């Protein structure tokens, strides 16, 4: 099922990328549910939801953030190139040590992928070539989705869900941040071989489009209509 040159896998590797407010988590949950429905109908092994770099993110939050001051974010305290380099190492270790778990499923669906590291952290400055080789050893997704939205829509969605960033940054500051992140995704994703999904479309239409792509890749998912 895998086409990655470094690692032979018995599961499909799917990743969903996009800026905060793009609808990634909604799509990932929908894909896992659709793949599980396909398993129930056809006897497959279902899907596992996964996230990259959760351990290092947890460490950074423990070191930097406190309950007493919500405005303190680890992203603003720990240099981006340090975070990026440690995330690359965790990405690699995740597949090395969680591989047996992943092999129990037809598909592993990641909420975010390596492009997040570049967009949110910037480039690795020290020993860049070495970290690039490590990143290249991380298995490539069989399907990489990019939920593409404009900064204004991302901003509105963060406000609607009372995201923490809306309490940390001023409205202008948050808009500027999202504009920079969206520009980063334009730079990182357009050459990544990603399948672009319209994040402004209704969630059921986005899910229908994504499941159709997975079906084209031979995954057991039920047909979903893109029309309400």
């Amino acid at each position: 099922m895998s086409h990655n040159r470094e690692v032979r896998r018995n599961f499909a590797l799917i990743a969903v990328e996009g800026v905060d407010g793009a609808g990634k988590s909604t799509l990932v949950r929908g894909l896992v549910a659709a793949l599980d429905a396909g398993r129930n109908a056809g006897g497959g092994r279902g899907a596992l939801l996964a996230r990259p770099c959760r351990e290092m993110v947890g460490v950074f939050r423990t070191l930097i953030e406190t309950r007493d001051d919500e405005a303190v974010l680890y992203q603003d305290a720990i240099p981006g190139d340090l975070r990026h380099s440690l995330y690359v190492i965790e990405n690699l270790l995740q597949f090395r040590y969680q591989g047996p778990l992943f092999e129990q499923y037809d598909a592993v669906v990641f909420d975010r992928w390596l492009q997040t590291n570049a967009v949110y952290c910037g480039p690795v400055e020290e020993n860049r070539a070495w970290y690039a080789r490590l990143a290249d050893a991380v298995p490539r997704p069989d399907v990489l989705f990019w939920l593409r939205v404009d900064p204004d829509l991302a901003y509105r969605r963060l406000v609607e869900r009372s995201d923490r960033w809306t309490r940390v940054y001023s409205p202008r500051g948050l808009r500027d941040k999202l504009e920079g992140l969206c520009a980063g995704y334009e730079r990182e994703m357009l050459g990544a071989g990603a399948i672009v999904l319209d994040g402004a479309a209704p969630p059921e239409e986005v899910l229908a489009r994504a499941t159709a792509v997975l079906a084209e890749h031979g995954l057991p998912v039920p047909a979903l209509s893109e029309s309400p």
Side-chain angles (χ1 to χ4, degrees), residues 8 13 16 22 28-29 38 67 83 94 102-103 108 115 122 124 126 134 142 153 159 161-162 177 191 193 197 202 223:
R8 301 271 320 164
L13 178 56
V16 179
V28 166
R29 289 193 298 266
R67 295 181 180 178
R83 288 186 285 120
Q94 187 171 20
F102 295 165
E103 293 283 349
V108 179
Q115 287 76 19
V124 174
E126 297 291 333
L134 290 183
D142 296 289
L153 177 56
V159 171
R161 74 187 192 200
S162 298
K177 186 175 185 67
L197 300 174

Side-chain angles (χ1 to χ4, degrees), residues 156-175:
R156 292 196 301 272
R157 287 177 173 173
L158 293 185
V159 171
E160 287 170 2
R161 74 187 192 200
S162 298
D163 189 271
R164 181 183 180 186
W165 277 8
T166 65
R167 301 187 296 276
V168 173
Y169 299 107
S170 68
R172 182 67 262 171
L174 181 53
R175 286 181 182 276

Side-chain angles (χ1 to χ4, degrees), residues 3-149:
H3 303 292
N4 180 264
R5 72 173 184 268
E6 293 90 358
V7 179
R8 301 271 320 164
R9 302 187 300 269
N10 292 321
F11 61 92
L13 178 56
I14 302 161
V16 179
E17 267 288 14
V19 73
D20 289 73
K24 293 182 306 301
S25 297
T26 299
L27 176 58
V28 166
R29 289 193 298 266
L31 290 175
V32 170
L35 289 161
D36 281 341
R39 171 193 62 184
N40 295 335
R45 297 177 295 158
L48 175 69
L49 190 158
R51 294 181 175 86
C53 308
R54 303 309 295 176
E55 297 304 321
M56 286 311 311
V57 168
V59 169
F60 292 153
R61 283 179 172 155
T62 298
L63 290 172
I64 302 299
E65 298 182 4
T66 68
R67 295 181 180 178
D68 298 331
D69 189 355
E70 189 180 43
V72 176
L73 297 175
Y74 73 88
Q75 297 98 324
D76 295 333
I78 298 176
D81 62 333
L82 175 59
R83 288 186 285 120
H84 191 162
S85 61
L86 293 174
Y87 291 159
V88 168
I89 293 172
E90 184 177 343
N91 290 143
L92 196 57
L93 291 176
Q94 187 171 20
F95 281 89
R96 171 64 178 84
Y97 292 104
Q98 290 192 305
L101 171 63
F102 295 165
E103 293 283 349
Q104 297 176 29
Y105 295 86
D106 285 322
V108 179
V109 185
F110 271 82
D111 186 342
R112 293 193 181 276
W113 195 242
L114 301 187
Q115 287 76 19
T116 287
N117 298 342
V119 172
Y120 283 75
C121 302
V124 174
E125 299 296 343
E126 297 291 333
N127 302 307
R128 182 178 299 184
W130 185 73
Y131 282 104
R133 288 196 295 272
L134 290 183
D136 192 54
V138 176
R140 292 176 177 82
D142 296 289
V143 181
L144 174 62
F145 291 114
W146 174 27
L147 270 169
R148 194 180 193 184
V149 297

